[in-house]
Structures are given as structure tokens and as C-alpha cells.
């Protein structure tokens, strides 16, 4: 059987059935029902954030938060991310301005941020790539000096805490994805955490067609509500999250043991005072005997499917070809990493023998 890069976490079948039983009594399937409200409370407690609202997926959460901040003009971000980040900016009518990344954390390099700020800059939208936290202090400082909001794409960083503070609490807002492939999933789903009560209220209206109440429709909103079945999945999965992360830790440690000191191969660096979530296991092949693509082919031949994540850079996508500001060469470090990175299979139930087999295939002469 093929080993994929990830495998969704699921609660015991009976636990989920028990959780959705009430829905057969209430017949309330969506529109901010009891499960929706409970999951919001459970998440606020876990994340320790002030304001939170759920969405049908992370991408629409991101589009809605850009709208809620009424951003126009340029948004500084990075191209070393999933398609969603860049597409959300463009679909909201804004222009992404690509900042290069730090070669260790793969997140927005604050050294290169300030030079990109102009009078057209509306916000900064960095990504906590692979669950590595951005340099939130430096980014926050620069943003404050220029009076710019910071919205984090925190899709990878659910369950990451720095000095006990979750990644939901950095910046003016943070978007999470609860897609099936993420560390914590609601099948499909997402959330925005924010500081401002007003922004949270606007998000609640925006995700429900801009309807504030029956007679008052202040926004041209869409539909991005999470349904009760997804919320119930989240309630169950959240109960098991720390156990799942603990199992991921064992997988990551086994990979580390085998790959950490190999010439030309770089594993993810731990971050100081940070509790990681082991969302991904990225390896950069830089000066290794084999290229990234050769390693990919070797693994694929054995039924192991890693991912070239993130390759290509979003600034190299065909849909943006020839457009101003979309030049992968303008972010050379991001381009260098994108050409060499591979994320290896990583999930809570990945057997350590399989980790060994994957490492054997990569390391065999
Ligand atoms: C998964 C992901 C998204 C989009 O989330 P969905 O829930 O799949 O819509 C956005 N940004 C990043 C970095 C992601 O990994």
C-alpha cells in the first residue's frame, strides 16, 4: 500500500457518532448551531485567544479577514506558501508584494521587510511555514512603526506555542485551516482569531452573506459558514490533539536521528522556547549525493509519496505569468529552497519502521 505524505487524524467512530446524535434530535445542521458554538468555545480555551470565529475552510477565512480589515493596495507576503495565501490576496483585489524568506525558518525575513513598505502598503501577511513561527516580535515592531495590520497565515501552526502563548495570539489576526490534511482537522474548516471584537463581528456577518440580522445587511458577504457535522468532528479531534502531536513527535525524532547529521541534507531546526506541532517533516537537499527530484523519484518507485511542498513558488504560477511583481528570481532564497525541499510522510500513526524504510531509501548509496 502506498505511503502518502499525510493521513488524516480521526476520532474513534463511536465517539463521533455519539457527538452527532443530538443533530438527529435538533435537526439543526448548520448556521451557527450548538456544535458550532461549542467548538468555538473549546478552541478559544485551547488557543487562549480573545476573539474567534469558524469558517467553512481556511481559504475563505483568509479572504474574509482581508475583507474585514478593508484592505486595499499592496499586501507584503512571501511566495513560499500554499496557493491559497497569494490567491486570497489577489482575489480580494489587492497586490501581493513578495518578501524573501529566512533560510532557517522558511518564514518572512524581517530584515527584508521594511524596504518593501511604501505608501501603498495596506498590511503584512506572513506565513508560519511548516509550523515554524515567524519572527513575530520583529515583524510586530516594524508593523507598529508603520501603522500596518499584521494578519498571519497560521494554517500550519495550530498547536504551536511560544512561552505558553499560542500562534493564534500573534499579530492583529491569525487564520487557521482545519483541512483534513492539517494537524487538527474538522474535515474541511478554518477559523480566524483576532484581537478586535469589531473585526470578529464583521467576520460573522461576512461569512453569512453580509447579513447582520433579518432586516439589516451591511456587507456584500458570501457564504463561508462551518456546518454542524464538521464542528462535531472538530470537537472530537480536539480531545485527541495533544496525543496526536505527541505521536508525531516520536516520528519526527526518528527522522532526526537518521537524517540530522547527513552531509548535504538539512532537517527542520527547532525554535527556541517553542512547543512545536510537528505538522510537516521538510528536508532540504543542498549538496546531497542526489537531487531533490532524484530522491522524490526513488521514494515514488517504492510506493512512498512525499511532496515538493512548496514548489513551485506562488510567484511562478502560470496564472500570474508576465504580471508585474510576480518574479521568482526576486526572492532568491525562497527560489533556492523551493528547488530543493521535500516534505516526507508525517502523521501520528506513521510506524517507526516505515520511517526507517524511508530513510534507508534516501540514504542507500
Ligand atoms: C491549507 C492551507 C491554506 C488553506 O486552507 P484550506 O482549509 O485548505 O482552505 C492556506 N494557507 C496555507 C499555508 C495552507 O497550508
Amino acid at each position: 500500500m502506498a505511503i502518502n505524505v499525510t493521513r488524516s487524524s480521526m476520532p474513534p467512530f463511536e465517539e463521533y457518532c455519539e457527538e452527532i446524535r443530538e443533530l438527529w434530535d435538533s435537526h439543526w445542521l448548520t448556521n451557527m448551531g450548538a456544535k458550532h458554538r461549542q467548538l468555538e468555545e473549546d478552541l478559544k480555551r485551547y488557543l487562549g485567544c480573545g476573539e474567534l470565529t469558524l469558517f467553512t475552510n481556511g481559504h475563505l477565512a483568509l479572504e474574509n479577514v482581508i475583507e474585514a480589515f478593508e484592505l486595499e493596495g499592496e499586501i507584503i507576503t512571501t511566495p513560499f506558501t500554499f496557493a491559497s495565501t497569494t490567491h486570497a490576496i489577489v482575489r480580494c483585489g489587492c497586490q501581493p508584494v513578495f518578501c524573501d524568506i529566512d533560510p532557517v525558518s522558511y518564514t518572512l525575513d524581517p530584515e527584508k521587510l521594511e524596504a518593501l513598505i511604501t505608501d501603498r502598503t495596506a498590511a503584512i501577511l506572513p506565513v508560519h511555514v511548516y509550523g515554524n513561527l515567524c519572527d513575530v516580535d520583529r515583524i510586530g515592531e516594524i508593523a507598529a512603526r508603520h501603522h500596518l495590520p499584521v494578519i498571519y497565515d497560521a494554517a500550519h501552526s495550530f498547536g504551536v506555542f511560544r512561552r505558553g502563548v499560542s500562534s493564534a495570539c500573534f499579530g492583529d489576526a491569525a487564520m487557521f485551516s482545519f483541512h483534513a490534511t492539517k494537524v487538527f482537522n474538522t474535515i474541511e474548516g478554518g477559523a480566524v482569531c483576532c484581537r478586535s471584537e469589531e473585526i470578529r463581528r464583521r467576520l460573522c456577518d461576512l461569512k453569512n452573506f453580509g447579513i447582520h440580522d433579518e432586516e439589516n445587511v451591511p456587507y456584500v458577504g458570501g457564504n463561508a459558514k462551518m456546518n454542524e457535522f464538521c464542528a462535531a468532528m472538530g470537537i472530537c479531534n480536539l480531545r485527541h490533539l495533544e496525543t496526536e502531536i505527541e505521536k508525531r513527535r516520536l516520528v519526527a525524532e526518528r527522522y532526526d536521528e537518521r537524517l540530522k547529521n547527513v552531509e548535504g541534507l538539512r532537517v527542520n531546526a527547532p525554535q527556541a522556547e517553542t512547543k512545536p506541532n510537528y505538522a510537516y517533516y521538510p528536508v532540504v537537499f543542498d549538496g546531497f549525493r542526489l537531487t531533490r527530484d532524484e530522491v522524490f523519484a526513488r521514494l515514488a518507485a517504492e510506493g512512498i509519496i512525499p511532496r515538493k511542498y512548496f514548489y513551485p513558488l506562488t510567484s511562478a504560477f502560470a496564472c500570474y505569468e508576465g504580471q508585474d511583481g510576480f518574479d521568482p528570481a526576486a526572492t532568491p532564497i525562497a527560489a533556492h529552497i523551493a528547488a530543493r525541499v521535500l516534505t516526507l510522510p508525517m502523521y501520528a500513526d506513521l510506524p517507526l519502521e516505515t520511517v526507517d524504510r524511508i530513510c534507508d531509501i534516501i540514504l542507500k548509496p
Side-chain angles (χ1 to χ4, degrees), residues 56-62 80-86 127-130 153-156 175-182 187-191 280 309-310:
T56 191
N57 59 55
H59 179 80
L60 284 174
L62 197 53
F80 191 70
T81 183
F82 185 53
S84 171
T85 322
T86 303
V127 186
H128 298 305
V129 178
Y130 307 133
D153 180 334
H156 289 186
M175 173 280 277
F176 289 105
S177 163
F178 305 146
H179 184 256
T181 56
K182 304 300 205 271
I187 308 171
E188 290 263 8
Y280 299 87
Y309 196 61
F310 298 107

Side-chain angles (χ1 to χ4, degrees), residues 287-305:
F288 187 61
R289 280 181 293 104
L290 306 170
T291 65
R292 183 269 309 272
D293 290 353
E294 285 164 351
V295 174
F296 183 95
R298 257 197 196 190
L299 290 168
E302 306 271 349
I304 292 157
I305 318 297

Side-chain angles (χ1 to χ4, degrees), residues 14-39:
E14 293 73 22
E15 183 180 340
Y16 184 69
C17 291
E18 199 47 50
E19 197 63 50
I20 60 173
R21 188 182 298 279
E22 293 156 45
L23 302 177
W24 265 260
D25 300 327
S26 68
H27 284 241
W28 189 298
L29 306 185
T30 185
N31 283 34
M32 287 66 80
K35 298 296 168 194
H36 187 283
R37 292 194 301 272
Q38 188 190 328
L39 181 59

